[in-house]
Amino acid sequence: MVPSPGLPDDMLDRTFYILTFGCQMNDNDSNWLARALESRGFRRVSSDNADEAAVRILNTCSVRDKPEQKVYSEIGRIAHRCKVLGQEDVVVAVGGCVAQQVGDELFRRFPIVRLVFGTDGISRAPEAIERIVENPSLKMSCLDFSDDYVERPDAIDRAPAASFVNIMQGCDNFCAYCIVPFVRGRQRSREAGQILDECRKLIDKGAREITLLGQNVNSYGLDGAGHPGFAKLLRQVASLPGLLRLRFVTSHPKDIAPEVVRAFGELENLCPRLHLPLQSGSDKILKSMGRHYTVGQYRETIRELRKARPDIIFTTDMIVGFPGETEDDFLQSMDMMREVGFAASFSFVYSDRPGARAVDFPFKIPRETGLERLSRLQAWQIQASTSILNEMIGKHEVVLIEEPGQREDPAGEAWQGRTGHGHTVHVTLPPGARSNWAGKMLPVRIIGASKHSLKGRQEGEPW
């Protein structure tokens, strides 16, 4: 490594940076990997020093083609930068879904890559990185799937106010467009005792909100005997002392049990926001996708959830331009968007993914048609989301303060957090009044709204 004015010379070979693509599960995996490396004496650097780190880790996503291409572009950028700066000993590690999908081919395509680890192999990544740092000629791959959920030892010094806990790995649904079962494996539920132990540790270390994570959380326990089922697990976590808020993501509409619906009306700390991927508003397209529910069944689930918790809001995933989608099919999707009134949506143009059944489907939609439909859908969503946020102006909310805000505020300290409904709120707090506001529940009045967030004013004492 070349000397750097920003980092001590004796620390250069133990510095690392992680760039994360994709979902919240990847974010959670990256945070665990960072803690595991730090426990081995490595030091994480900021994005400002990313090009000086001795170890550069890409935790990747291949659910869609675009993030996969971004990964290849970033590896190429790193290789070029290292060549220009003469950084011959840099360790580049590629993990996550792209690594699982492409495997050892990454070594051939990108000679700078020294470690490839898959979605199960992340548990072995810290040891592998340490071995490679100590042996410059070594290359390693960790790509095998495990038959069971792989526990990862963790030393948590301080938990984020809003923390995440994996409850499962993989998926058994094999939707026609999806690569997840191939890159994350078949569903493996985590032992309930391990989940509860991790939740307790996080609460003890400062977490006030926990989000349970999985490819399909409400199918938890369906893959084997000995698991309590998702509804029971949800109640067990909700009952933990000190947990003020509980969320879960992602749910499959076909697997939401009546017991889970009732939980929204009975568990006080279960937040009234649910991400429920619709994917299409056309029964014909849903059947072709292999989603195993109809628009009518989805509509009934929404109705029952609103009956249990009248103030609940919904977010969703939508795919446009799926093979065979007509203009009428798309308009049916738009009708469902309006009917449900989603607070937010993650929407994409369909793209072929290696191994997924839809690769071989006929009647592919031209890319320009898909992009035009996506533009219409997203334009509606922006208008709907903005309207929902504007309607909150003047209301009183309790915000869980999570982290310092990105904007400087001459009037005080800028912080941000979320309401129980998951809306981001920016608030200015007295300068120097507290060494750390993170983790405080703060009463606020909403005084402004933008396209994606709210502005609040403190209206009571935090707790």
Side-chain angles (χ1 to χ4, degrees):
M1 292 291 294
V2 295
S4 163
L7 300 169
D9 291 351
D10 61 351
M11 285 293 294
L12 282 173
D13 63 344
R14 307 291 286 186
T15 54
F16 72 94
Y17 175 73
I18 304 178
L19 178 60
T20 305
F21 300 82
C23 65
Q24 289 171 311
M25 292 192 74
N26 274 13
D27 285 332
N28 200 40
D29 286 345
S30 292
N31 289 333
W32 173 83
L33 181 55
R35 293 192 298 271
L37 288 172
E38 287 168 344
S39 72
R40 291 171 176 263
F42 287 81
R43 184 163 73 89
R44 189 174 190 172
V45 302
S46 69
S47 58
D48 292 337
N49 284 323
D51 282 347
E52 300 172 345
V55 180
R56 303 176 200 178
I57 305 164
L58 281 65
N59 193 7
T60 65
C61 173
S62 62
V63 171
R64 294 179 294 117
D65 181 64
K66 188 174 181 179
E68 181 181 341
Q69 296 307 317
K70 285 184 178 180
V71 170
Y72 300 143
S73 177
E74 180 62 18
I75 299 174
R77 189 199 68 80
I78 292 173
H80 175 73
R81 185 71 173 164
C82 288
K83 183 177 181 180
V84 169
L85 297 179
Q87 298 172 328
E88 299 177 357
D89 296 331
V90 165
V91 174
V92 175
V94 182
C97 294
V98 171
Q100 193 71 58
Q101 172 192 328
V102 180
D104 291 345
E105 175 70 10
L106 283 166
F107 293 132
R108 188 192 67 80
R109 291 182 60 180
F110 303 100
I112 195 172
V113 173
R114 304 270 298 283
L115 170 65
V116 176
F117 61 93
T119 49
D120 280 2
I122 188 173
S123 61
R124 306 195 300 279
E127 179 183 0
I129 289 170
E130 193 160 47
R131 288 179 59 189
I132 292 171
V133 166
E134 294 169 355
N135 185 349
S137 64
L138 186 63
K139 291 192 175 187
M140 296 180 64
S141 62
C142 306
L143 296 168
D144 293 339
F145 282 126
S146 171
D147 292 335
D148 302 302
Y149 185 94
V150 180
E151 288 294 334
R152 305 186 299 225
D154 202 354
I156 302 171
D157 294 327
R158 180 175 175 82
S163 294
F164 298 85
V165 174
N166 286 355
I167 69 169
M168 63 195 302
Q169 176 71 290
C171 182
D172 286 345
N173 286 313
F174 289 93
C175 297
Y177 53 80
C178 189
I179 198 175
V180 166
F182 305 105
V183 294
R184 286 192 174 269
R186 300 298 295 269
Q187 177 173 314
R188 287 144 292 156
S189 296
R190 189 179 180 190
E191 292 295 331
Q194 297 282 357
I195 295 170
L196 293 169
D197 284 346
E198 182 176 351
C199 290
R200 291 188 190 98
K201 290 176 184 177
L202 289 168
I203 295 168
D204 289 343
K205 296 296 183 179
R208 311 197 83 181
E209 172 183 304
I210 286 176
T211 300
L212 304 178
L213 295 177
Q215 269 73 36
N216 179 16
V217 288
N218 44 353
S219 69
Y220 171 82
L222 298 181
D223 51 299
H227 300 296
F230 183 62
K232 185 174 181 180
L233 176 69
L234 197 62
R235 291 181 182 274
Q236 289 174 333
V237 176
S239 68
L240 294 176
L243 183 63
L244 301 184
R245 288 181 178 174
L246 176 60
R247 307 180 192 271
F248 59 87
V249 69
T250 294
S251 294
H252 196 298
K254 73 178 178 64
D255 291 323
I256 291 193
E259 296 83 2
V260 175
V261 173
R262 289 197 296 270
F264 276 97
E266 297 169 359
L267 300 179
E268 186 176 345
N269 56 356
L270 183 57
C271 293
R273 181 185 180 112
L274 179 62
H275 187 72
L276 195 62
L278 173 60
Q279 304 298 9
S280 174
S282 161
D283 282 339
K284 182 193 80 177
I285 297 300
L286 288 176
K287 183 177 181 179
S288 183
M289 287 178 169
R291 292 291 287 171
H292 302 293
Y293 57 84
T294 65
V295 171
Q297 289 168 332
Y298 187 97
R299 182 182 288 117
E300 180 62 21
T301 299
I302 295 290
R303 186 180 298 118
E304 290 300 313
L305 284 160
R306 283 183 168 147
K307 187 186 301 182
R309 186 71 181 265
D311 66 331
I312 193 170
I313 64 174
F314 299 98
T315 60
T316 198
D317 293 338
M318 296 294 289
I319 297 173
V320 301
F322 189 77
E325 182 190 67
T326 64
E327 176 68 10
D328 184 63
D329 293 322
F330 171 72
L331 292 177
Q332 290 178 54
S333 292
M334 291 298 299
D335 287 343
M336 275 298 290
M337 295 286 287
R338 297 186 187 96
E339 179 180 330
V340 177
F342 293 109
S345 61
F346 300 92
S347 51
F348 316 98
V349 176
Y350 167 82
S351 60
D352 283 340
R353 306 309 298 129
R357 287 185 292 118
V359 170
D360 298 323
F361 284 8
F363 309 115
K364 294 290 174 64
I365 306 302
R367 178 74 176 172
E368 58 270 22
T369 301
L371 289 171
E372 189 275 332
R373 290 173 182 172
L374 182 68
S375 177
R376 278 189 277 165
L377 186 150
Q378 291 182 340
W380 175 87
Q381 185 64 73
I382 290 171
Q383 185 178 28
S385 298
T386 302
S387 177
I388 290 171
L389 293 177
N390 281 325
E391 288 173 2
M392 296 184 65
I393 295 175
K395 293 184 178 180
H396 293 274
E397 295 284 344
V398 175
V399 174
L400 172 58
I401 301 297
E402 296 181 15
E403 60 187 357
Q406 298 299 312
R407 309 166 187 167
E408 293 187 7
D409 193 329
E413 295 181 1
W415 287 82
Q416 67 184 45
R418 287 184 298 162
T419 67
H421 286 92
H423 298 306
T424 298
V425 179
H426 300 277
V427 60
T428 301
L429 299 173
R434 293 183 183 274
S435 58
N436 189 4
W437 285 87
K440 300 297 180 183
M441 304 293 287
L442 185 71
V444 304
R445 180 187 290 273
I446 304 302
I447 60 174
S450 63
K451 190 179 295 185
H452 301 294
S453 63
L454 299 164
K455 185 175 182 179
R457 181 178 63 222
Q458 182 180 355
E459 291 237 325
E461 289 301 311
W463 70 89

